[in-house]
Amino acid sequence: MVTDFQRELARVEEDIEGVRGIALLEPVIHEKVTLLAHRLYQRASLTGRLADLRIAEAAISEGLRRAPNGDLWLLKANCDFAMHRIDQSRHELNEYPGLRESVKGKMLAADLDFEAGKYDQAWRGYQHMVLSARAWDTLARLAFFSAKMGEVRKADRLYYEAEEELTAKEMRSYAWVELQRGKLAFEHGRFGSANAHYARAREAYSGFWLVDQHIGDLRRAQGRLRDAAHLYATVVASTRRPEHQQTLGELSSLLGRSAQAEALKRETLVAYVESTARGEVLYYHHLADFYLESNLDSAKALEWAQKDIAIRRNYSTLTVLAWSYFCTGDARKALEISNEAVATRIVDADMLYQAAAINFANGLTTDGKKFLRSAMSVNPEMRKWYQDTLFEEESKTSNY
Amino acid sequence: MADHNDPNAVNSIFSDIEVSSADLYDLFGFPSDDTSGGEKVVIALTFAAYPQASTFDTDMLYRILLTAQPRVVWPAKGDHSLEVLLTYIEAIKEKYLGELRPSEIRVTVDRSQRASVQFIGFPTGNFTVTVEMNKVTTLPVAGGQPIKAFIGGRDDAFFNDLTGFFRSINYAPQFYHVPHWMTEARELKIPKTLIELDGNDLFNYDPADPNHGRTEKKPLPTGPLTWTGDKFKKDKDGNFRFCYTGEDARAGQNCNALIFEIPLAFITNVPAKHRIVNVWGESWVLKAAHKVETIPDHPLWIEHPFALLSSDRTDGELRKYKLVDTDGQPFADAALSEREDNRQLGANNFWLAPHFIKRLAHLGWGFGPSITALGLKTSFDHDNSPVSIHRTYATALEAFPRVKKTLFQQLNMPDDSWNPKGLDIPLRRPVEIFIPNVAAIDMDTSGSWPFGRRLEDQVATRFLSMFLDMEADLNGKKYHIELLNDQSLWNTVPIVPKSPPNPLKNDKDFLPQFPYLAEPW
């Protein structure tokens, strides 16, 4: 049976084939060049494959060279954002008159602000957009921001409102919003609710690798490692992305499939390094993460974390940098960076847990306990893993 | 609203938006010529033929809403103040949001392409029938005359020089590749006009590029999208260049349609008293959530007055859908509401009254001077401006004096054929035509616009005639709504091409019998 994903991908491929051979023939027709670039970008968004994104990038660049127009500049800016080229993306918003001030332009600008850690600016941008152009994607962005700020109920209500704006012609978008609602529940330890949202996403839009990825993460957290590995195997087969390979490798390791785990680890590292050799910056974060988790080479982790933070200084990159310093033994520097991450007011259980550990390492027990309790409050599932740590720390300084 | 260029979300003019089955085209309504067995009203709602003509989109729900009322007479002659206008609007609002409960014909089509037609809120009660598509069906009605129904594909009965219309309002997406995100590059800040502006190279007809705006679009120029001239364009013979050509942009095109011929006695228990049948159409798309499974409904306030006020009227089925487009008066949206998605309010367009006044004044500053330049009299007060002007207003109060005559003048009909019974029926005024945004079919008339809308009415040109001064005369006869359709007029004015702005008839003959709209191509 043909899935919704396959059906949509087939339509996109058909459109691509329809213009591919003629789009760049002289005289270059604006509409065809733009259609080709747009469809290639659409394909890349669907498949999640970096190879497809690179093909789309090339078509967009060629289109801009031959028939520059506002649609292509917006595509270019979005492409660069997807590849973490933050400054470049921001610059491109100013390349076409009116683009920066348009709703799409403002939306991307707010996204860039968020990625750059400019949270107040991002908040104002998202709010203004919802007030001026209420649509599912502006509501979803506001929901995402609210979720990051720990306003969980508000975020879920905003996601619901976003869904109300979507019609039966937009099932993939609906599935995506359901995944966000599920992820929100997942990050706060409500696995049952997460499962329900993921199931609805799957029913709304069948055959989508992104749904499998989210369910795979849930199964992993639930301890259902075989199910998680099976799902991630389909994700890897679909996207061929190294970060998905990395996760599959971790699962293989947990399942005792050592040879497979090692092979995946090697392939993952090769893919990350090859990407950086191409001049891409997308995998700096992943490399830091890889060395911290898979290879335990904290020096290299620190090196990549520093490169990443030079591009975007947000709570996530600060958290990885802080942890890298911590793993290299520089607890004091780790504390400085961790404090900066916490000061963003983003509410993230992993960030809070790491802040706790760093504070404990610096002898700041009170703050450490505070952060640990916050982490467990955000995600009660963390209690299973970190309750002992808290008890241990409390016993050092109390009369237990 | 009745046009082919509806809310931006479904507007296929934008090159990155696909054709949508939610895009409503026209709403026709007129007393049936067939009075055997009693008076009947013909109602036809047409929309985009997607996925194809004669095949309906199963995610759609279409509504035709109807009320029947006595004929209402506008207040005493001379009482044409803004205060009276706003009082009228308030009264209409109270009626539509208060005690008024329209009846409804609701149509959905299943995967087997069987149409489910619900008749809701009629005096005889509610009932549902399954209708075979693309075939005339006679629906029996208990104790009364049957209803005729046709649900399927037809020839698109809209005959119009759309390119000319868009040229006259300097609508960029018709002529240029305008990204959908570029909302300010739609109606450019260039005066609207019936005749070309000298130096308006963005929109003026270019004989070296005759297909521009018809079958071809150009890349949007990056320079200023404005006009800095000060006169109308004239050729060497002293003729103005008409923005319109009279060519039919919809020739050979199809639509899908809901067509009904309904006994008046089915719509109202007092047909002798309720002589006006108000009709409007709506298109709704199934919400994504309800394509998956039913999510428990809970009241959700959204920042939209219509939704807020009508939330208690939305039934369980309708809550699964999202309103996309409305259809009432022709050109109420394209000309007056600027096609913004959140202005698709259908009958409940009272909130837009101030906007309509401002918008009409804005159009008047464009069309008025061009009418004067042609040697005709205009209803719009433009201070004898020698050329069209791009002017907008912040308040209705400011705009009102300019557009007062246009709003309140009675629109003369070309002859008495509209009033076959010779009754004392007042001529209609634009203010009551467009607010509320419904087709108000007068059963004692022929249903010719503005007393309904017959298939053969050239409504686009009649809409333009609102800007003529109905107190003026030409060759001893008062101006009327068919004047601009008269070839003999264009033969005498200094203009090329010398043709009425829009085609005078449809590209395919209408049928003499139900369903009246011609078969699809």
Side-chain angles (χ1 to χ4, degrees), chain B residues 479-506:
Chain B
Y479 284 12
H480 54 79
I481 62 170
E482 274 291 295
L483 182 60
L484 299 178
N485 275 325
D486 190 343
Q487 180 63 55
S488 64
L489 167 75
W490 301 105
N491 289 340
T492 62
V493 299
I495 199 168
V496 290
K498 288 189 182 302
S499 89
N502 292 291
L504 298 180
K505 53 181 287 195
N506 193 40

Side-chain angles (χ1 to χ4, degrees), chain A residues 30-31 70-71 74 96-99 102 104 134 160-161 164-169 171 174 200 203-204, chain B residues 15 18 57 59 177 179 181-182 184 219-220 222 285-289 291-293 295 298 300 302 322:
Chain A
H30 166 293
E31 194 173 0
D71 282 327
L74 179 61
Y96 194 87
L99 177 54
S102 69
K104 294 279 188 193
R134 186 186 178 87
Y160 174 77
E161 288 187 38
E164 282 289 290
E165 296 293 322
L166 287 165
T167 73
K169 306 304 180 193
M171 296 311 293
Y174 175 80
R200 199 143 50 223
E203 190 180 341
Chain B
S15 50
E18 294 174 1
D57 186 334
D59 291 328
H177 294 290
W181 56 258
M182 197 178 254
E184 75 284 4
L220 187 69
T222 51
V285 186
L286 185 66
K287 288 182 185 173
K291 188 143 185 170
V292 181
E293 61 177 279
I295 289 180
H298 44 88
L300 182 68
I302 32 180
K322 183 183 172 190

Side-chain angles (χ1 to χ4, degrees), chain A residues 151-156 180-198 218 222 377-382:
Chain A
E151 296 175 292
V152 178
R153 289 183 67 169
K154 179 179 176 183
D156 193 59
Q180 306 317 302
R181 293 182 77 184
K183 192 175 173 195
L184 184 65
F186 171 67
E187 288 171 348
H188 290 82
R190 292 182 285 114
F191 290 172
S193 181
N195 202 52
H197 284 295
Y198 293 161
L218 174 62
Q222 290 173 316
S377 161
V378 169
N379 187 353
E381 282 293 316
M382 280 192 149

Side-chain angles (χ1 to χ4, degrees), chain A residues 322-340:
Chain A
W323 198 246
S324 301
Y325 274 119
F326 178 72
C327 291
T328 58
D330 191 344
R332 183 168 291 191
K333 187 67 178 176
L335 180 66
E336 178 192 323
I337 302 297
S338 175
N339 284 343
E340 188 182 339

Side-chain angles (χ1 to χ4, degrees), chain A residues 353-370:
Chain A
Y353 168 72
Q354 288 174 358
I358 290 168
N359 273 268
F360 285 138
N362 279 276
L364 301 170
T365 313
T366 306
D367 284 345
K369 281 193 257 186
K370 178 187 81 181

